[in-house]
Amino acid sequence: NIINYFNNRSTNAAAESFNAKIKEFRRQFRGVSDVKFFLFRLTKIFA
């Protein structure tokens, strides 16, 4: 993975940023009870 950066100048920063946004979104709602609604809201906000 480290060599991939030097060969292609690519990192996983975009994926890490998206994961952080999802975690923050979940934190705002203090847990998710309805997974279907959570995925719906997630796609509406970040898609």
Side-chain angles (χ1 to χ4, degrees):
N1 290 338
I2 295 172
I3 296 174
N4 192 29
Y5 172 75
F6 293 108
N7 289 338
N8 301 326
R9 295 288 185 210
S10 64
T11 64
N12 65 342
E16 293 293 332
S17 173
F18 186 66
N19 286 337
K21 288 178 183 178
I22 292 173
K23 285 182 182 181
E24 176 62 23
F25 183 72
R26 286 180 64 192
R27 188 193 64 76
Q28 287 177 352
F29 288 104
R30 291 173 179 62
V32 175
S33 59
D34 187 4
V35 175
K36 188 175 180 179
F37 179 71
F38 172 72
L39 293 176
F40 170 75
R41 291 287 296 164
L42 195 63
T43 57
K44 291 296 181 184
I45 292 174
F46 294 114

